[in-house]
């Protein structure tokens, strides 16, 4: 492992340790949305992490529209629809609901798709925000700023779960390049893991599918290099 990669994995592991196991284990899911939820967010944002943890804990698979700083692809839509540039912003086409505020998003997701009550690590607001800020502090410049890119025709797919240090590295690249994608959340004990293994051949994340090029791959570093080589301008 070279030094850059070692530093990458170490800081990403430290970020995961700041929110240990939060979003890594499946919680009871009452139903699956018929149409995918839509999340506008960016990776380093501590409030976006809280929303992503809730989605991951419920094994929900939103379409993610990355909105990094300086991004031109999706930020404007949030301003037009919601009235301001603020992230995360969740849209649920099934209930025609859209909302800002990570705390409201957590409550909504567990009320609509969970057993009605979010786990303590998402409910205890002061704790959630401070530890999520700490996690962001370990990688303050990753998944933050837009990099000019070519927009893919079809949605990419990333099998992931929120607290994995390796999945974060892949998500950061998707975010920086503003690549819209479907996140397939497969935390531990997720009922969706068997379907994933049927697709990929083994239980390992991150796993990227790019229908634009017919690419399917494991390995966070390879995924990041692939995304930059294929889509960065
Ligand atoms: N109370 C809000 C705070 C959200 C927030 O402050 N988000 C920041 C990013 S971390 C934001 O949208 N900043 C505007 C921008 O990035 O343009 C929540 O919990 O969702």
């Amino acid at each position: 492992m070279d030094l850059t990669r070692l530093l990458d994995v170490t800081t990403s592991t430290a970020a995961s340790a700041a929110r240990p196991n939060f979003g890594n284990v499946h919680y009871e899911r009452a139903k699956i949305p018929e149409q995918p939820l839509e999340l506008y967010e960016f990776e380093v944002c501590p409030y976006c992490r809280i929303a992503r943890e809730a989605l991951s804990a419920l094994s929900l698979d939103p379409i993610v529209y990355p909105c990094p700083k300086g991004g031109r692809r999706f930020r404007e839509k949030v301003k037009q629809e919601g009235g301001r540039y603020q992230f995360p912003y969740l849209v649920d086409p099934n209930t025609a609901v859209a909302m800002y505020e990570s705390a409201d998003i957590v409550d909504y997701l567990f009320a609509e798709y969970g057993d009605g009550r979010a786990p303590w690590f998402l409910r205890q607001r002061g704790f959630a925000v401070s530890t999520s800020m700490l996690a962001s502090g370990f990688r303050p410049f990753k998944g933050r700023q837009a990099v000019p890119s070519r927009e893919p025709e079809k949605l990419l797919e990333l099998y992931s779960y929120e607290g994995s240090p390796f999945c974060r590295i892949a998500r950061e690249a998707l975010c920086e390049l503003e690549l819209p994608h479907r996140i397939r959340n497969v935390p531990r004990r997720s009922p969706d893991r068997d379907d994933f293994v049927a697709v990929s051949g083994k239980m390992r994340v991150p796993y990227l599918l790019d229908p634009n090029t017919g690419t399917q791959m494991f390995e966070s570093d390879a995924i990041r290099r692939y995304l930059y080589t294929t889509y960065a301008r």
Side-chain angles (χ1 to χ4, degrees):
M1 201 188 275
D2 68 23
L3 200 60
T4 315
R5 173 76 175 156
L6 182 65
L7 193 65
D8 215 17
V9 173
T10 305
T11 52
S12 193
T13 303
S16 293
R19 297 282 293 158
N21 258 338
F22 303 162
N24 292 0
V25 181
H26 179 80
Y27 280 70
E28 190 181 325
R29 180 176 61 190
K31 63 179 175 196
I32 298 173
E34 269 181 35
Q35 299 176 68
L37 306 175
E38 296 164 19
L39 183 69
Y40 295 78
E41 58 96 52
F42 57 100
E43 181 63 32
V44 77
C45 161
Y47 305 101
C48 301
R49 175 178 298 103
I50 291 169
R52 291 195 310 265
E53 283 177 354
L55 290 157
S56 182
L58 290 167
S59 300
L60 297 174
D61 298 345
I63 299 174
V64 175
Y65 295 103
C67 298
K69 306 270 184 204
R72 297 183 169 206
R73 210 160 275 156
F74 306 115
R75 281 194 154 231
E76 210 47 48
K77 189 164 178 217
V78 172
K79 172 85 185 325
Q80 277 165 13
E81 291 193 5
R84 59 190 192 274
Y85 298 109
Q86 186 182 301
F87 308 93
Y89 181 66
L90 180 81
V91 178
D92 185 346
N94 305 282
T95 54
V97 158
M99 70 189 75
Y100 292 107
E101 292 301 330
S102 52
D104 293 344
I105 293 173
V106 166
D107 287 347
Y108 173 77
L109 290 172
F110 279 87
E112 189 66 26
Y113 297 108
D115 66 1
R117 192 166 158 81
W120 68 270
F121 59 82
L122 291 168
R123 255 191 358 259
Q124 299 295 327
R125 186 71 182 157
F127 173 81
V129 172
S130 55
T131 50
S132 191
M133 283 179 169
L134 179 63
S136 296
F138 285 109
R139 292 170 78 75
F141 306 113
K142 300 280 188 179
R144 165 183 287 273
Q145 199 71 38
V147 170
S149 71
R150 186 165 66 74
E151 187 167 4
E153 271 181 30
K154 297 179 194 154
L155 281 181
L156 281 69
E157 280 184 69
L158 185 76
Y159 285 83
S160 171
Y161 56 84
E162 180 55 33
S164 154
F166 302 103
C167 295
R168 177 177 299 105
I169 290 169
R171 289 195 311 263
E172 286 166 351
L174 288 164
C175 175
E176 290 157 6
L177 294 164
E178 295 181 272
L179 302 176
H181 56 281
R182 185 98 189 254
I183 280 280
R184 302 277 184 195
N185 277 309
V186 284
R188 282 198 291 282
R189 297 203 285 272
S190 170
D192 303 336
R193 280 198 164 197
D194 289 346
D195 288 349
F196 169 49
V197 173
V199 170
S200 68
K202 60 182 171 188
M203 184 51 238
R204 182 185 291 176
V205 287
Y207 181 66
L208 179 80
L209 288 111
D210 184 349
N212 302 285
T213 59
T215 301
Q216 306 187 3
M217 63 199 302
F218 292 105
E219 292 301 324
S220 55
D221 201 35
I223 292 172
R224 175 163 55 194
R225 273 188 277 114
Y226 164 79
L227 291 172
Y228 267 85
T229 307
T230 311
Y231 292 109
R233 281 200 197 277

